Amino acid sequence: MKRTPGRERRHVTVTGVVQGVGFRPFVYTLAEELGLTGWVTNNARGVEAEVEGPAADVETFCVRIGTRPPPLAVVESVEHRAVPLENDGSVFTIRPSSGGPGRTLVSPDTATCDACLGELADPADRRYRHPFITCTHCGPRFTIVTSLPYDRDRTTMAGFPMCADCAREYTDPADRRFHAQPIACPACGPRLTLRTGPGDPGELRDARAITEARRLLAEGAVLAVKGIGGYHLACDAGDPAAVRTLRKRKNRGGKPFAVLADSLETVRRLAHVGPEERELLLGPRKPVVLLRRRAASGEIAAGVAPGSPDLGFMLPYTPVHRLLLGLPGDPPGPAVLVMTSGNRSGEPIVTDDAEALTRLAGLADAWLAHDRPIHVPCDDSVVRVCAGAELPVRRSRGYAPFPIALPVPVVPALAVGGDLKNTFCAGDGRYAWLSAHVGDMDDLATLNAFERATGHLTDLTAVEPRLLITDRHPGYRSTQWARRAAEARGLPLRRVQHHHAHVASAMAEHGLDGSAPVIGIAFDGTGYGDDGAVWGGEVLLADYDGYRRFAHLGYTALPGGDAAVRNPYRMALSHLRTAGLPWSDELPCAAAATPEERRLLERQLERGFNCVPTSSMGRLFDAVSSLAGVCHRVEYEAQAAMELENAALDDLAGPLGDDERNDGYRFMLRTVLQDPEAPLIADPAPVLAAAVADVRAGVTAGRVARRFHRAVVALVQEVCTVARERTGIRTVALSGGVFCNALLTEGCGAVLERDGFTVLRHHRVPPNDGGLALGQLIVAARARD
């Protein structure tokens, strides 16, 4: 190898999120600062460079490249090796991207940075009020990438040639837009248009379109607004008539809307914002953050979130959002907008402009669109803060497709998740890529969106599945898709039990290698059980290889299947019957049913007709919600349980783990005497009897709700203590959709940690079915020696 004393040349390979985040300009600037020569390029593996110069400076370069990356970059590894000197003059160059084998990681879409927002509002800047302002530190990434390596011609910006000014910025290493692929300006970038329907030619453009859109919103119109990952439907959140119109048109029922506020100050005026919530609201991901509302004010119409003390807030994450809410000097307009997914109920979010004019017809009064195509749909993410940490409810924009590092390697595989809150997961080696939120697999449009998304994510991640993985439920549409796909591709299909997948997802998120089992508390609404029953109140002793059902909620009938889910009073009456408690007329759940319906329901339960047994904790929450008079009929998933949590929070402050007399609200943990190896049964009959007595005595619904929550916490504490005594296991994983309930999650965590357990709570993937695919992947695709 050719050497010169004191000089060295090294080849450097960097992997991670290093494309579309200004990494090559960063490398260029670092090399120039250190006086090094050489080159840098993108390829399918990530970023590769060669640097030459004094050995000490080359060593400094190799250290800094991994420890001081650009703001949006995430460096997974830096590898470097000595290569022959080339004495290539005094320049360092950025070479064109190349293809080839390998894998790199794509950045999620990122909220507009402060520097771009400053330019957007600066009349002296050439991008003043430009709706598509962006730089290497912000803007669309995942939703515009068509293939790798990440270059402009491989994004949906390929159809927008740069003007001379943008090209100069793009090639200037000292510029913030150096090699920023979505770079554009009013002279060469996408255009905004405002239309009032399919026949409107869209003559209102850019600034005029924004001005008219703001006027329409102020006058009570509903607008379809094209964003980064799809269309939103927007209206003035302070206009009761506009909110009612949107709710009626979208057939939204009583499900809360999310809102977009113009500033953190506005959010603080309307809701309680702690330091963790502030960080989430202002950070680069800008998800919807669930916050506790302050006293009602006219700024938010009651119909935005009827009956809910919580409201989902987000701050502007695109230049269009900022312009719609107004810049300094603009005429007054709404400070808070409803921003809900642009779709009809049950359908996937709309991304195509022509489809938007037809599918959103009858929902929107006008369409604020642009001509930059969206390649990948991506809904807003939703999070809340629980015990001082982020708890994902929906992981999508700003998070997807950033991978989860796995504690054990997996073979190339695709796990398809479940049918509710669907996300899927591609995995290979030590990485798992969770998709953006797909939604409920209820119709053909969602299934088609699911299929397109699986193809895009596996292409983008270079995962060529050798295995497909699904839930054990034979009726799931995701299961049926996986079965057809496996047959068509000649791939094996593996099925993973629903609650085992929930527990495994928590284990994987926390980096457990599966060598030791955990006590898995899997509480949700529905999961196909090994015995054909509907499980959902499960305690599993689990690792990645398998599980044993250690305990479960006692079975009761699910009368009419979905009818019982939609009508919690049916679950309440079923639970009362199982507990041997009469359907007294003074009980709210009995009063919610007509006498004739009660007679029919009693006959159905006696005969067991269409009455699948269930151990679901989610359905027990529904039952107590109706029993306490909180919610008898639901218009959206988990409504009764959410309203029961809200009632408990309204009752009094203080964690559920505090020692406090619980007035008989206690589950009975019993064994099946004839089978000592059978699971323990958590019988809710004593809890229900105590709740009935309280209701009859006139105890408030909030107090009943809080006592019930405390009883569930005590059950988790008791069953984990018994499991530890019998097995020695001291780690507990809390998973399943019921643990989106922050009050319950905080209470369980507090008592278990006080008792010496290590508690695994979700922080990176949702505890609901949005995290299911990760658990499926690591259970079924884990590489075995």
Side-chain angles (χ1 to χ4, degrees), residues 308-600:
S308 174
D310 290 338
L311 187 57
F313 285 88
M314 58 182 167
L315 292 177
Y317 60 84
T318 74
V320 171
H321 290 165
R322 182 68 273 165
L323 293 170
L324 278 176
L325 290 165
L327 294 179
D330 283 349
V336 185
L337 298 174
V338 168
M339 276 284 184
T340 188
S341 297
N343 54 8
R344 293 187 180 274
S345 181
E347 293 183 356
I349 190 170
V350 176
T351 58
D352 180 77
D353 299 330
E355 280 193 4
L357 290 170
T358 55
R359 286 177 55 192
L360 301 182
L363 301 184
D365 299 308
W367 286 254
L368 183 64
H370 58 76
D371 53 353
R372 182 181 66 203
I374 297 170
H375 190 66
V376 184
C378 199
D379 266 299
D380 293 320
S381 294
V382 181
V383 303
R384 70 189 308 176
V385 170
C386 176
E390 182 177 353
L391 174 65
V393 177
R394 183 167 76 193
R395 183 184 187 271
S396 199
R397 177 189 51 78
Y399 297 79
F402 191 73
I404 304 294
L406 297 176
V408 293
V410 297
V411 300
L414 176 67
V416 302
D419 270 15
L420 296 178
K421 298 179 174 63
N422 179 270
T423 63
F424 56 89
C425 183
D428 188 7
R430 292 274 185 162
Y431 284 126
W433 289 267
L434 281 165
S435 73
H437 172 76
V438 176
D440 295 348
M441 307 283 273
D442 288 336
D443 57 25
L444 182 60
T446 306
L447 285 168
N448 289 337
F450 170 86
E451 183 150 15
R452 289 192 299 270
T454 58
H456 178 259
L457 188 64
T458 51
D459 286 346
L460 204 62
T461 58
V463 173
E464 298 181 6
R466 300 205 303 262
L467 170 68
L468 295 180
I469 310 160
T470 187
D471 193 89
R472 286 184 182 174
H473 196 304
Y476 273 5
R477 292 175 178 85
S478 54
T479 298
Q480 295 164 6
W481 181 92
R483 185 173 63 249
R484 292 192 302 269
E487 291 172 355
R489 303 178 195 182
L491 298 175
L493 177 66
R494 292 182 185 165
R495 296 173 172 84
V496 177
Q497 201 281 325
H498 191 89
H499 301 96
H500 186 201
H502 272 310
V503 174
S505 72
M507 294 172 64
E509 176 184 332
H510 285 269
L512 273 63
D513 65 7
S515 59
V518 303
I519 303 168
I521 311 296
F523 288 170
D524 64 3
T526 300
Y528 189 75
D530 294 344
D531 56 1
V534 176
W535 288 9
E538 311 307 309
V539 182
L540 308 179
L541 306 182
D543 54 24
Y544 298 137
D545 286 329
Y547 61 92
R548 176 165 74 88
R549 196 183 192 195
F550 181 78
H552 64 84
L553 195 63
Y555 283 132
T556 195
L558 186 69
D562 287 345
V565 177
R566 292 191 301 269
N567 299 284
Y569 67 87
R570 294 175 68 91
M571 279 311 309
L573 295 174
S574 179
H575 264 292
L576 291 178
R577 186 177 188 278
T578 302
L581 299 169
W583 296 355
S584 303
D585 290 340
E586 70 267 30
L587 296 178
C589 56
T594 65
E596 177 61 22
E597 186 178 7
R598 282 157 57 181
R599 283 193 295 271
L600 291 173

Side-chain angles (χ1 to χ4, degrees), residues 276-283 286-287 289 383 385 390 399:
E276 297 86 2
E277 287 94 349
R278 178 184 183 277
E279 184 177 346
L280 288 164
L281 287 166
L282 294 177
K286 286 193 170 52
V289 183
V383 303
V385 170
E390 182 177 353
Y399 297 79

Side-chain angles (χ1 to χ4, degrees), residues 67-136:
T67 58
R68 299 182 185 178
L72 300 185
V74 179
V75 173
E76 295 291 333
S77 68
V78 177
E79 298 176 358
H80 50 89
R81 55 184 171 83
V83 294
L85 294 172
E86 293 188 7
N87 295 315
D88 44 3
S90 59
V91 298
F92 188 92
T93 61
I94 294 181
R95 291 183 174 179
S97 298
S98 61
R103 173 182 293 125
T104 192
L105 308 180
V106 176
S107 169
D109 303 304
T110 305
T112 311
C113 69
D114 289 343
C116 283
L117 287 175
E119 294 170 344
L120 183 73
D122 182 2
D125 194 275
R126 75 185 191 91
R127 290 187 175 86
Y128 176 54
R129 294 184 178 273
H130 179 49
F132 306 97
I133 190 168
T134 184
C135 69
T136 56

